[in-house]
Amino acid sequence: MLGLAFAAHAAQRGTHVTLLEKEQTWAAHQTGHNSGVVHAGPYYRPGSLKARMCAAGNASMIAFAQDHGIPYAVPGKLIVATDEDELDGLHELHRRADANGVPCRLIDGIEASEYEPEVYAVEALRVETTGIIDYPAVCRELAAIAIRHGAELRTGARVAAIHDTAEGVVVEYEGGEARGSILVNCAGLQADRVALLAGVEPEVRIVPFRGEYYELRPERRDLVRGLIYPVPDPQLPFLGVHLTRMIDGSVHAGPNAVLALKREGYRWRDIDLRDAVDALTYPGFLRMASRNLETGVREVARSLSRSAFAASLARLVPRIDARDIVRAGAGVRAQAVRRDGTLADDFVIQRSRHQLHVLNAPSPAATSALEIAAYLFAETGVSA
């Protein structure tokens, strides 16, 4: 999605753009396998790129949907503390939300039940501007805009080699070659490998985490009106298993977070030897895993047990049990990990002479795609 947003932004400003996509369709991976949420921004460290771009991106993505007839809704969401131990974390989110300019307020459990009658909350943060949207439809519209303004969009174009030259960059791909004054790498799950192909040592490496979803059976969808989230673990970049009423009225539950043994592997049986070896032998992953062993075991158990997954949901909505949920696919998150085992907690954009590499763009990157595109375009130094 970031590549399409950049192509549309640059092409509208008179810059010739060639976009290479290794798949045959748009939104084949992270963008097409997420929760469809337009985030408001209460989670992110004030002053970070995530915080700045999410606040602006929430408004620009909703405006884009309005301008182009893309399905969306703004139901708001509840972030729910289910016991006293979570109140400090909830209050910290409130402080961050205020600093980030996010419209929200703390409410008690009684008022929370006015928004979500089935929720259990000691206290909750009501976030007014959280929305939902059809991100694949956004991608299709961005592609159409880019093409209308002269961009060349080439699908089925897996990159094979990249050469930095005195004048710019040459990219060899399956079926041809592309030349340009600057390379912008928005390759998501493959971003670090594209950087390596370009002769750049990435400051982070991608470790893929599969997030599995369930959904409520149609007859139980009335248990959830909008979006219900737990208070997240501040030591991890994941927001926790949550409930989201989608554009089509279905209610998705998830995702969990388990190591994927293939960068684009959406099932346990999807294994790629190179991807698995890269992840399991990377010192950063080994250090990260050793610090979070208990959490990792818990996530695997939840992946393998529908009852365990339902139990996590029941902390938020007690009437949910294992009979109420059915599997509903998965996504893979491109988690950027540093060599010391720390997780990148902000967008990471690495520069070299004729290149910009977006090495970490997890949630809220979809929400912020139009803002990130404008930021990258400014960073290229190309005249508008």
Side-chain angles (χ1 to χ4, degrees):
M1 184 167 175
L2 290 187
L4 286 168
F6 179 85
H9 184 92
Q12 286 176 296
R13 284 149 185 81
T15 300
H16 181 264
V17 180
T18 301
L19 186 150
L20 305 178
E21 166 59 56
K22 75 180 180 68
E23 305 296 349
Q24 296 293 341
T25 59
W26 307 120
H29 295 297
Q30 290 186 105
T31 303
H33 292 82
N34 63 29
S35 297
V37 176
V38 183
H39 289 284
Y43 302 101
Y44 314 120
R45 178 172 47 83
S48 65
L49 281 175
K50 277 187 175 182
R52 288 156 43 199
M53 291 189 184
C54 187
N58 178 277
S60 61
M61 187 56 67
I62 295 300
F64 186 87
Q66 293 169 338
D67 291 345
H68 297 280
I70 293 167
Y72 79 98
V74 186
K77 80 174 175 183
L78 294 179
I79 303 174
V80 174
T82 58
D83 60 47
E84 299 285 339
D85 291 342
E86 295 178 334
L87 291 181
D88 286 347
L90 187 71
H91 295 168
E92 174 59 23
L93 291 181
H94 186 219
R95 287 189 288 270
R96 287 190 174 196
D98 278 346
N100 294 338
V102 178
C104 67
R105 59 196 176 90
L106 288 169
I107 60 178
D108 61 23
I110 294 173
E111 189 172 356
S113 68
E114 295 175 5
Y115 289 102
E116 294 285 354
E118 300 296 337
V119 80
Y120 174 76
V122 174
E123 197 171 304
L125 185 66
R126 170 65 183 175
V127 183
E128 298 294 344
T129 53
T130 301
I132 52 173
I133 199 168
D134 183 345
Y135 280 123
V138 172
C139 288
R140 292 190 293 271
E141 185 61 28
L142 288 170
I145 291 169
I147 290 169
R148 282 201 303 273
H149 288 85
E152 295 182 52
L153 274 54
R154 303 175 187 175
T155 57
R158 182 187 295 271
V159 173
I162 300 171
H163 309 287
D164 204 29
T165 70
E167 296 77 26
V169 182
V170 178
V171 180
E172 299 176 16
Y173 62 92
E174 293 178 358
E177 179 183 279
R179 294 175 177 267
S181 60
I182 190 162
L183 168 73
V184 180
N185 168 14
C186 299
L189 284 156
Q190 307 293 339
D192 57 340
R193 289 179 175 169
V194 170
L196 287 166
L197 280 175
V200 172
E201 180 60 38
E203 61 185 80
V204 294
R205 293 298 178 96
I206 298 301
V207 176
F209 282 86
R210 186 174 62 257
E212 296 152 331
Y213 290 90
Y214 283 81
E215 66 179 11
L216 295 188
R217 295 184 185 278
E219 64 271 21
R220 301 295 277 169
R221 291 174 181 172
D222 60 347
L223 293 175
V224 177
R225 290 181 175 179
L227 294 90
I228 306 173
Y229 280 60
V231 177
D233 183 340
Q235 302 304 314
L236 295 171
F238 311 112
L239 298 183
V241 170
H242 49 268
L243 292 150
T244 304
R245 179 171 284 274
M246 308 290 279
I247 285 292
D248 63 2
S250 63
V251 177
H252 278 211
N256 62 350
V258 296
L259 178 67
L261 297 179
K262 182 179 181 181
R263 291 202 179 192
E264 292 152 3
Y266 301 99
R267 301 162 300 182
W268 272 102
R269 65 177 179 270
D270 292 338
I271 299 173
D272 179 277
L273 184 59
R274 179 191 177 192
D275 291 351
V277 170
D278 279 357
L280 295 172
T281 61
Y282 176 51
F285 169 74
L286 298 174
R287 294 182 177 109
M288 177 198 70
S290 67
R291 295 169 191 158
N292 297 282
L293 184 59
E294 182 180 347
T295 299
V297 170
R298 187 165 58 246
E299 291 292 325
V300 170
R302 185 160 54 190
S303 171
L304 297 174
S305 168
R306 184 169 65 168
S307 294
F309 205 107
S312 295
L313 301 173
R315 294 189 71 244
L316 305 173
V317 177
R319 287 181 61 197
I320 292 176
D321 65 33
R323 295 167 296 181
D324 298 326
I325 59 175
V326 294
R327 286 199 178 269
V332 179
R333 176 191 177 105
Q335 179 59 55
V337 182
R338 302 185 189 281
R339 193 171 181 84
D340 65 1
T342 58
L343 306 179
D345 65 351
D346 201 0
F347 300 142
V348 175
I349 300 169
Q350 192 169 332
R351 301 161 181 82
S352 65
R353 186 171 59 156
H354 296 130
Q355 303 171 22
L356 282 176
H357 297 274
V358 182
L359 297 176
N360 190 46
S363 179
T367 298
S368 309
L370 303 177
E371 306 304 316
I372 298 172
Y375 177 87
L376 292 172
F377 185 74
E379 290 292 300
T380 66
V382 176
S383 298

